[in-house]
Amino acid sequence: MQNLAEVTHGKVKFLEALGEGLFAKVCKGALVKVDSDSPHVEIAVKRLKADVPPTAVENFKREISILANLQDINILCMIGVSASEEPRFMLFEYYTDMDLYRFLVENASKLSGLIPSDLSEYNVLLDFSLQIASGMDFLVENNFVHRDLAARNVYVAEDNIVKISNLGIGSYKYPGDYSWVHSSALLPVRWMAPEALNTLQFSHRTDVWSYGVLLWELYSFGSQPYAGLSNQEAIEQIRDLQVLPCPDQCPARMYGLMREECWEEDPSERPAFSEICSRLREWAGDSIAESH
């Protein structure tokens, strides 16, 4: 496990809530630097609730062990853990509330070319596509299945570096994107592969399907997949392999990657993230490939 800073509750200032699960809460916080003149560092804190079952505590410890090793430029990284005190917590990088969904919606006119801007000076959408694929390839190398890859769970940091988050706050911020499946789990149904909807089993290949939907979000500038349909109607569309149409300004080869490969019915026929990275680097050219 990576050497992470151990901190006490006294060094962390807990601010507003960002999300909540059955056994843990996620909130915005500040890391107080007592012996420094520099301002407090904004962080996200995932804190175990009090009086949870022993199995939840063990799962939380296991999660710490796994996440500690996920250190990559395109991953929202864990930067610290509680110093053996209860309730336990994890500290993560924090990049305001500018998730990729909000970025796309707020910059739709610029990204589409309707308003001239520096965003059009290079292919920012292709750049984002490559960075996300690279981050997901890193997760594959570390045997980590994301399960909820979508624009709402990616953050845009300085210099348009994107960070994939696994804090699990998407359902809290965007409840309309989630639905109960088989009455057993609240899941991001519009982003899920058909086999995941049928079995509730996730893999790197179901993440590839979700990545294709995320690409569709990018090139439709933040539109909701299967907009106008209820969650149940969207589920039926996905099960019947009625995939999303090509966004108006999406390049044909990018839509081909979505439709013909990421949304391939047979999971084994979907490309690995390493293959996707190689292809996007070819499309992007040397300038982006060398900078990431």
Side-chain angles (χ1 to χ4, degrees), residues 8-235:
T8 64
H9 285 85
K11 293 182 180 179
V12 177
K13 185 177 181 180
F14 298 95
L15 304 174
E16 71 263 26
L18 297 175
E20 184 173 346
L22 186 60
F23 299 121
K25 294 182 178 180
V26 179
C27 67
K28 179 181 175 182
L31 186 59
V32 181
K33 293 188 174 182
V34 179
D35 301 323
S36 173
D37 294 330
S38 62
H40 301 337
V41 178
E42 283 194 329
I43 53 173
V45 186
K46 185 171 184 178
R47 179 167 52 170
L48 197 62
K49 294 180 180 179
D51 302 321
V52 297
T55 53
V57 176
E58 290 306 311
N59 288 337
F60 199 78
K61 291 179 181 178
R62 192 177 303 114
E63 185 178 4
I64 289 174
S65 178
I66 293 170
L67 295 181
N69 292 310
L70 300 182
Q71 303 290 320
D72 181 79
I73 189 173
N74 295 127
I75 302 296
L76 194 70
C77 297
M78 187 167 74
I79 58 174
V81 295
S82 55
S84 304
E85 59 180 283
E86 304 295 341
R88 293 178 177 273
F89 59 85
M90 302 178 241
L91 308 182
F92 293 84
E93 299 171 301
Y94 183 75
Y95 292 99
T96 69
D97 293 320
M98 187 51 72
D99 59 58
L100 181 55
Y101 166 75
R102 276 192 56 196
F103 179 92
L104 292 169
V105 171
E106 293 182 9
N107 291 284
S109 294
K110 296 178 181 179
L111 292 167
S112 65
L114 294 176
I115 299 176
S117 77
D118 56 358
L119 290 175
S120 60
E121 291 181 3
Y122 73 107
N123 196 333
V124 65
L125 297 182
L126 181 55
D127 188 11
F128 285 174
S129 303
L130 174 54
Q131 289 188 64
I132 295 166
S134 178
M136 290 304 297
D137 186 41
F138 173 81
L139 293 183
V140 170
E141 290 175 356
N142 286 272
N143 201 32
F144 187 92
V145 178
H146 191 283
R147 299 168 178 252
D148 193 6
L149 182 61
R152 63 183 170 271
N153 286 323
V154 177
Y155 287 86
V156 182
E158 294 180 3
D159 300 323
N160 284 342
I161 301 297
V162 294
K163 305 270 187 178
I164 300 168
S165 167
N166 194 48
L167 285 175
I169 61 176
S171 61
Y172 183 84
K173 293 176 65 178
Y174 303 103
D177 288 343
Y178 294 77
S179 182
W180 289 96
V181 179
H182 303 319
S183 301
S184 61
L186 190 63
L187 295 170
V189 293
R190 296 167 190 263
W191 285 258
M192 288 171 61
E195 71 273 16
L197 287 171
N198 292 331
T199 66
L200 301 189
Q201 298 295 312
F202 296 85
S203 68
H204 300 309
R205 300 296 180 174
T206 62
D207 278 348
V208 170
W209 179 289
S210 300
Y211 174 77
V213 183
L214 194 160
L215 290 179
W216 187 90
E217 289 184 275
L218 282 173
Y219 285 90
S220 63
F221 315 124
S223 296
Q224 185 187 47
Y226 304 99
L229 301 181
S230 68
N231 280 331
Q232 187 56 45
E233 290 170 335
I235 289 172

Side-chain angles (χ1 to χ4, degrees), residues 130 133 137 205 257 261 268-283:
L130 174 54
D137 186 41
R205 300 296 180 174
L257 174 61
E261 301 192 53
S268 67
E269 294 296 319
R270 295 172 200 156
F273 280 110
S274 58
E275 298 172 49
I276 294 173
C277 287
S278 296
R279 188 172 315 176
L280 295 182
R281 287 191 181 99
E282 289 179 5
W283 295 352

Side-chain angles (χ1 to χ4, degrees), residues 230-265:
S230 68
N231 280 331
Q232 187 56 45
E233 290 170 335
I235 289 172
E236 295 306 318
Q237 291 267 310
I238 296 167
R239 284 175 170 160
D240 292 340
L241 296 178
Q242 300 295 313
V243 297
L244 295 159
C246 183
D248 290 341
Q249 297 190 40
C250 180
R253 63 184 180 182
M254 185 62 76
Y255 185 64
L257 174 61
M258 301 176 209
R259 184 186 177 100
E260 305 300 332
E261 301 192 53
C262 293
W263 300 334
E264 166 64 46
E265 181 178 12

